[in-house]
Amino acid sequence: MSTIDWQKEVESRKEAFLEDLKGLLRIPSVRDDSKKTDDAPFGPDVKRALDYMLELGDKDGFTTKEVGHVAGHVEYGDGEEIVGVLGHVDVVPVGDGWSNDPFEPVLKDGKLYARGVADDKGPTIAGYYALKIIKELGLPISRRIRVIIGSDEESGMSCVERYFETEPQPTLGFVPDAEFPIIHAEKGISELDVAFQTGEQTDEADFRLVSLASGARYNMVPDHADAVLSDVKDNEALNKAFRTFLADHDVEGMIANNEDTVTISVVGKSAHAMEPNNGINAGLHLVAFLGQFKLSGAAANFVAFGRDYLFGDSRAVKLGISFEDEESGELTMNVGIIRFTPEDGGKYGLNFRYPVTAKMDDLKDKMETVVLEYSGSYSHYDDSEPLFVPKDHPLIKTLQEVYTKQTGEEANLLAIGGGTYARHLETGVAFGALFPGREDTMHQKDEFSYLEDLLKATAIYAEALYKLAE
């Protein structure tokens, strides 16, 4: 069996691969809690995407199982031990500025465009087809292989937590939801909300902040922000200052003067939270602009804190918790959600990616001193600890061997700030599907993957699964 041409096997299934992938990409599987039901806890579209994968498995003769309406698996083979592949079918919100319908896939110049094609529907289909090839070739394996499908990866990974409440852990596995060669270290990920609900009211404010809203997810750099102001004392000065701010910071925006209010909008650039510097945080730019003026009450504390400690500092240096280690690099901070109303006060939803040798509980306690100085408080905290698999582990050695054989490239070990399902495996790593040198468009407008890359990843996954399960 060592003479199998894995790439040839994939190419012979290219058209079917593309059609199955397009079908999945057409489902707008963004979590929608407003439409959740007992049978669809994350909304009907997310459930449709999960059902789609399980129905593919049924059609192709696999054993399938749904777990808790939030996850499931497609399985092949016998044996006590399991080799796992974990992918997800939910996607982040679309955002603005797409060239085409994000849920109608377009193949152009070798690139397949659609929301989720890179993160993570394309790689999930690649993992599925890798298993399909092994089954159709009738290859002898001594371990079962499971393609495990989750549907809430982008909003907390509760789907796999639920899955492993009742399903056994794979002996080992990989997650096709990052980049090649091999991710053996994943930073810890924390969500931390800083809230502001009190402040001294004065009559000296330049305006009243009626509302401010930016961002939808902790794990995305927000690309749009709006604020509504009332009781503006000097409209002309406000307009002039805004034009100057936009020019000085090279961002886009607009200001609209209404009868009783002024609406200010800023346009930034979305990016994945694991590297905030790849984006332009529209919300923080708007906060920084408002921070030039005198405000009152909770708005004053809220805006001042964002201006002084969050704007322009993705490494949390000003907060005093910058951290770096050799294994996984720097701590990063993304401000993914920003909200303010006079009734509810203000909130910054922070997303930290911290090195594998750091302790987020300690860092959180350290920065609280600054938060308290601005009459702020913590209103939400959630932490997912780092992942680290030693370089001499048999799983690492096997994946390195396969990757090098199929690409001719050295299989270097990487550390990332992104969080994958691998951190929910007892022994697992992220493995592809973005190849070195390719542009990373995950979480961005006009997300795309090269079709040839997805097919190449499928060949790598097929051989890797066979070697891990034989």
Side-chain angles (χ1 to χ4, degrees):
M1 292 297 180
S2 60
T3 59
I4 296 170
D5 186 336
W6 298 99
Q7 190 66 37
K8 182 179 178 182
E9 293 295 337
V10 175
E11 291 293 338
S12 70
R13 296 164 174 82
K14 177 179 177 179
E15 294 306 317
F17 177 99
L18 183 57
E19 286 309 304
D20 285 342
L21 174 54
K22 284 183 175 180
L24 183 58
L25 291 170
R26 290 190 179 104
I27 302 171
S29 50
V30 178
R31 177 171 173 165
D32 187 351
D33 289 343
S34 70
K35 297 180 180 178
K36 68 179 180 181
T37 64
D38 290 344
D39 293 339
F42 307 129
D45 289 329
V46 171
K47 184 58 163 54
R48 278 174 57 207
L50 175 61
D51 291 343
Y52 180 94
M53 289 301 302
L54 297 177
E55 288 163 6
L56 267 188
D58 289 335
K59 175 175 69 72
D60 291 332
F62 291 105
T63 300
T64 63
K65 183 177 181 179
E66 182 192 275
V67 177
H69 307 297
V70 299
H73 65 246
V74 175
E75 183 179 273
Y76 174 68
D78 299 304
E80 289 296 314
E81 297 186 333
I82 298 170
V83 176
V85 182
L86 281 71
H88 69 90
V89 292
D90 59 309
V91 298
V92 296
V94 169
D96 300 320
W98 281 71
S99 302
N100 302 289
D101 181 343
F103 295 112
E104 184 51 53
V106 174
L107 182 60
K108 182 179 179 182
D109 298 328
K111 300 176 182 177
L112 185 61
Y113 293 87
R115 172 57 90 215
V117 67
D119 182 18
D120 185 42
K121 293 179 177 180
T124 298
I125 290 288
Y128 175 80
Y129 262 76
L131 178 58
K132 185 175 179 179
I133 289 168
I134 291 171
K135 176 179 179 292
E136 291 178 351
L137 292 180
L139 301 179
I141 55 176
S142 62
R143 289 169 165 164
R144 287 176 284 160
I145 303 175
R146 277 187 179 180
V147 177
I148 300 169
I149 303 116
S151 64
D152 183 38
E153 196 272 349
E154 300 291 1
S155 301
M157 305 190 191
S158 62
C159 50
V160 288
E161 292 174 5
R162 168 64 186 87
Y163 179 85
F164 287 125
E165 285 177 3
T166 54
E167 294 299 312
Q169 272 277 348
T171 306
L172 39 76
F174 63 81
V175 177
D177 189 20
E179 56 195 89
F180 285 122
I182 300 163
I183 310 289
H184 80 128
E186 292 184 13
K187 293 178 183 177
I189 301 177
S190 285
E191 294 175 3
L192 181 62
D193 285 357
V194 182
F196 301 84
Q197 296 179 314
T198 60
E200 184 182 355
Q201 296 283 351
T202 70
D203 295 327
E204 299 175 357
D206 291 323
F207 50 77
R208 179 172 179 265
L209 182 58
V210 177
S211 67
L212 192 155
S214 182
R217 297 286 176 88
Y218 291 92
N219 62 352
M220 292 181 72
V221 176
D223 62 356
H224 196 88
D226 295 297
V228 177
L229 320 179
S230 67
D231 303 325
V232 178
K233 289 184 177 178
D234 191 336
N235 269 304
E236 185 176 342
L238 182 71
N239 279 262
K240 182 179 179 181
F242 188 59
R243 290 193 299 270
T244 300
F245 181 87
L246 294 178
D248 288 346
H249 293 85
D250 195 25
V251 291
E252 297 179 0
M254 62 178 294
I255 187 166
N257 295 280
N258 306 309
E259 186 173 337
D260 298 317
T261 61
V262 175
T263 301
I264 303 176
S265 300
V266 174
V267 178
K269 178 186 176 185
S270 66
H272 196 291
M274 65 180 172
E275 181 42 271
N277 291 345
N278 287 341
I280 299 172
N281 194 311
L284 287 183
H285 276 79
L286 183 49
V287 167
F289 169 68
L290 297 178
Q292 299 179 7
F293 299 90
K294 185 176 292 185
L295 295 172
S296 177
N301 289 322
F302 165 74
V303 169
F305 180 79
R307 176 197 65 202
D308 295 345
Y309 284 95
L310 304 180
F311 178 63
D313 188 11
S314 67
R315 270 48 183 175
V317 174
K318 298 174 190 173
L319 288 169
I321 60 169
S322 60
F323 197 105
E324 183 175 4
D325 65 22
E326 185 177 342
E327 292 83 359
S328 54
E330 294 178 291
L331 176 147
T332 63
M333 176 181 68
N334 179 57
V335 186
I337 301 172
I338 305 175
R339 296 286 186 275
F340 180 85
T341 64
E343 298 78 20
D344 298 327
K347 181 185 86 170
Y348 293 103
L350 311 181
N351 181 266
F352 293 97
R353 312 286 168 127
Y354 62 92
V356 298
T357 59
K359 298 293 184 184
M360 192 61 212
D361 286 353
D362 295 340
L363 299 178
K364 174 176 70 78
D365 291 344
K366 186 177 180 181
M367 64 176 268
E368 189 173 20
T369 303
V370 176
V371 172
L372 293 172
E373 286 178 8
Y374 287 73
S375 300
S377 64
Y378 294 147
S379 57
H380 164 72
Y381 176 58
D382 183 71
D383 182 48
S384 176
E385 294 184 350
L387 162 81
F388 183 72
V389 179
K391 61 183 179 181
D392 57 353
H393 193 283
L395 171 63
I396 301 290
K397 294 297 185 184
T398 299
L399 298 183
Q400 284 180 314
E401 177 189 341
V402 171
Y403 181 83
T404 298
K405 176 185 171 186
Q406 291 215 28
T407 66
E409 303 291 335
E410 187 176 353
N412 297 318
L413 301 184
L414 307 174
I416 61 168
T420 74
Y421 284 151
R423 65 184 59 229
H424 289 278
L425 292 172
E426 289 178 0
T427 305
V429 297
F431 187 44
L434 184 70
F435 283 94
R438 293 299 204 193
E439 181 182 356
D440 181 0
T441 59
M442 298 181 193
H443 293 208
Q444 298 183 30
K445 67 179 181 181
D446 292 339
E447 178 181 349
F448 72 85
S449 288
Y450 287 93
L451 180 58
E452 66 174 317
D453 287 0
L454 290 174
L455 298 175
K456 184 66 176 176
T458 305
I460 292 171
Y461 293 156
E463 183 173 6
L465 286 175
Y466 177 50
K467 283 189 171 296
L468 292 170
E470 68 179 337

